[in-house]
Amino acid sequence: PWLEPDVNDHLETLAAGGLDGCRFTFLSRLGGRPDMAAFGRIAARVAPLGWHLDLYLEAAALDELAPRLQALPVPYVVDHMGVIDASAGVEQPGFQRLLALVSGDDKCWVKITGPERISRTGPPFHDAVPYARRLIEAAPDRVLWGTDWPHPNVPFMPNDGDLLDLVPLYAPDEQTRYRLLVANPARLFRFEP
């Protein structure tokens, strides 16, 4: 949900209704960075509820943001593989910083979503596969898959079936696919066993 900096006790009602996270957008094209003081207050406020933060940010911003993220009192999820540029190679500094963060901070999760956002070759988005694979290798218990339906503001409108077809390329073995599609989301979103 959208939370104002002076968030109030409606959070308990939302939590009782099944919500367990809130999203922050850091992209300049979508309004820029949130007020970081409010960001810290909201993180502290949702921590007792067991919520996580979903962060839509570019991996290039992680050099500056990583210390603040690592100090959060809650788990956080980097959305859309950090919106990296798939044409820049897996050695690009932003992606390397994302790998280091997800490898070194047990509170950091990554969504293996948005190949249509990071691809530079277009459908079927195979240029996104090496990034997803490296993230899965770095933290197999803290990656999530999704389609980002209905795909707002994308350079290429994907077919969701094509996106699903990428999953075996991201995670060739059944155990890793199970983590990506079932076990990890169940843990993060606290689904009933």
Side-chain angles (χ1 to χ4, degrees):
W2 175 258
L3 301 176
E4 295 297 331
D6 61 345
V7 65
N8 58 35
D9 290 334
H10 292 293
L11 289 179
E12 281 76 11
T13 303
L14 294 171
L19 286 166
D20 59 3
C22 57
R23 186 177 206 208
F24 289 89
T25 300
F26 289 77
L27 300 181
S28 57
R29 69 178 178 80
L30 296 176
R33 182 171 298 186
D35 174 312
M36 295 308 287
F39 176 77
R41 284 193 305 274
I42 291 171
R45 179 64 180 86
V46 301
L49 301 173
W51 284 19
H52 65 273
L53 304 182
D54 186 289
L55 309 176
Y56 191 13
L57 54 78
E58 293 157 329
L62 289 174
D63 278 338
E64 178 187 349
L65 293 174
R68 184 179 292 261
L69 299 179
Q70 290 170 308
L72 286 171
V74 295
Y76 57 96
V77 183
V78 176
D79 221 347
H80 304 315
M81 296 186 266
V83 201
I84 51 90
D85 175 349
S87 70
V90 294
E91 296 304 319
Q92 64 185 283
F95 186 68
Q96 288 299 308
R97 186 64 172 119
L98 178 57
L99 282 175
L101 191 61
V102 76
S103 296
D105 185 355
D106 289 342
K107 292 181 307 207
C108 181
W109 294 62
V110 178
K111 285 186 186 173
I112 309 296
T113 55
E116 69 277 11
R117 294 180 184 285
I118 70 169
S119 176
R120 298 304 181 261
T121 61
F125 312 116
H126 286 172
D127 56 333
V129 171
Y131 299 95
R133 289 189 84 162
R134 294 285 296 271
L135 289 163
I136 291 167
E137 289 167 7
D141 292 323
R142 287 180 281 107
V143 291
L144 312 160
W145 178 84
T147 70
D148 196 34
W149 183 88
H151 313 289
N153 307 312
V154 294
F156 307 102
M157 184 54 69
N159 174 305
D160 288 309
D162 291 341
L163 298 179
L164 187 58
D165 287 344
L166 290 172
V167 172
L169 301 178
Y170 295 163
D173 66 277
E174 185 175 339
Q175 181 181 11
T176 304
R177 285 192 303 273
Y178 181 81
R179 286 177 178 167
L180 185 66
L181 300 171
V182 179
N184 295 350
R187 230 175 51 254
L188 181 69
F189 294 105
R190 300 176 296 168
F191 298 153
E192 291 292 325

